Amino acid sequence: MMTRMPELSRRALLGLGVGAVGACALGVGGVGTAPAAAAPTYSGGMFVSAARGGIPTNWAIARPPGQTAPLRPIIALHGKDQSAAGVMAGGVEQGLAQAVAAGVPPVAVVAVDGGGSYWHKRASGEDAGAMVLDELIPMLATQEIDTSRVAFLGWSMGGYGALLLGSRLGPGRTAAICAVSPALWTSPGAAAPYAFDGPEDYEAHSVWGRPEFASIPIRIDCGDADPFAEATRQFIAQLPNPPAGGFSPGGHDAGYWSSQLPAELAWIAPLLVA
């Protein structure tokens, strides 16, 4: 479960439209064009997801201030029992602004409702992973977002999801994956009963031994006291390349996740814009 990070500010999602902002305006007399208006630092909306069985699905985008050109996105995947609003309520908008002001290349952070189905197709028919890859990412192109390359960032259930969806999208499109306190189990029998529909589902959506990880930059952060720490150590050991990040004091909680976010944004952004 991903609890909310310490709150810096909160924007209600109600009433936010889905139209792109910032079209160029003609100058007086039609001579020349005025500079493009900066995109809002926060926008959001909703679509009905066919991949999730017709469930209304909220999304939100945070951008640094003053951006007029399309930005590449970090797709931020929430943990169990969380939502797009829960991700953004922790101060992503302000943290992104501070990071860019400190010299981090400008990128967007995108969050979306994924339910509790562990970002893959379930026996119920719900497929939050397909929602991200086949519905959300194409929709972002209508929001002045450059989807030619994307990065994935996720916490707990979302950390597992970042690894799964980043590998599925592949190195041609996935610039980087950052898995924070990822919900990993070393065998089907060890997995939580709600995470998979059984051993076959576990094997079909395993992130262990995926060849794509040889060609995608990966960062893994985990607290020493996290209940997933041992499985995460084993996962790191079998990766083809040593990941960035590492272990540090902390648990499976908002305080730890908040403390890691500045370094994670600073690591992801240059890879995403390269």
Side-chain angles (χ1 to χ4, degrees), residues 191-220:
Y194 48 77
F196 301 94
D197 294 315
E200 291 184 0
D201 188 41
Y202 174 93
E203 297 295 347
H205 300 99
S206 174
V207 295
W208 298 74
R210 296 188 72 96
E212 298 89 349
F213 292 150
S215 304
I216 300 173
I218 296 174
R219 178 181 177 118
I220 298 178

Side-chain angles (χ1 to χ4, degrees), residues 212-260:
E212 298 89 349
F213 292 150
S215 304
I216 300 173
I218 296 174
R219 178 181 177 118
I220 298 178
D221 291 313
C222 190
D224 290 322
D226 194 294
F228 291 109
E230 181 53 36
T232 299
R233 292 183 193 278
Q234 293 185 46
F235 180 80
I236 289 171
Q238 55 86 60
L239 285 173
N241 304 306
F247 290 82
S248 55
H252 199 79
D253 55 57
Y256 177 77
W257 296 327
S258 180
S259 71
Q260 301 303 303

Side-chain angles (χ1 to χ4, degrees), residues 24-77:
C24 292
L26 290 175
V28 175
V31 179
T33 58
T41 59
Y42 192 101
S43 60
M46 182 274 289
F47 61 89
V48 176
S49 170
R52 296 186 64 209
I55 297 175
T57 298
N58 295 305
W59 55 268
I61 302 172
R63 296 177 175 88
Q67 300 302 310
T68 58
L71 299 175
R72 289 180 175 172
I74 300 171
I75 309 297
L77 303 180

Side-chain angles (χ1 to χ4, degrees), residues 63-240:
R63 296 177 175 88
Q67 300 302 310
T68 58
L71 299 175
R72 289 180 175 172
I74 300 171
I75 309 297
L77 303 180
H78 63 73
K80 190 173 182 295
D81 300 325
Q82 260 294 346
S83 64
V87 171
M88 292 297 184
V92 170
E93 185 182 0
Q94 288 72 26
L96 186 60
Q98 292 165 8
V100 172
V104 171
V107 296
V109 177
V110 177
V112 65
D113 292 349
S117 61
Y118 272 72
W119 302 104
H120 68 274
K121 188 173 184 178
R122 305 304 297 269
S124 65
E126 181 176 357
D127 190 344
M131 176 273 292
V132 172
L133 300 182
D134 301 335
E135 296 176 334
L136 175 71
I137 291 177
M139 183 277 294
L140 291 176
T142 72
Q143 302 299 313
E144 298 297 324
I145 296 292
D146 173 6
T147 58
S148 60
R149 297 274 279 168
V150 307
F152 291 91
L153 166 66
W155 301 268
S156 191
M157 179 185 83
Y160 157 80
L163 293 164
L164 179 67
L165 300 188
S167 63
R168 283 180 58 188
L169 192 61
R173 296 279 303 281
T174 302
I177 298 170
C178 182
V180 191
S181 308
L184 297 171
W185 294 275
T186 57
S187 69
Y194 48 77
F196 301 94
D197 294 315
E200 291 184 0
D201 188 41
Y202 174 93
E203 297 295 347
H205 300 99
S206 174
V207 295
W208 298 74
R210 296 188 72 96
E212 298 89 349
F213 292 150
S215 304
I216 300 173
I218 296 174
R219 178 181 177 118
I220 298 178
D221 291 313
C222 190
D224 290 322
D226 194 294
F228 291 109
E230 181 53 36
T232 299
R233 292 183 193 278
Q234 293 185 46
F235 180 80
I236 289 171
Q238 55 86 60
L239 285 173

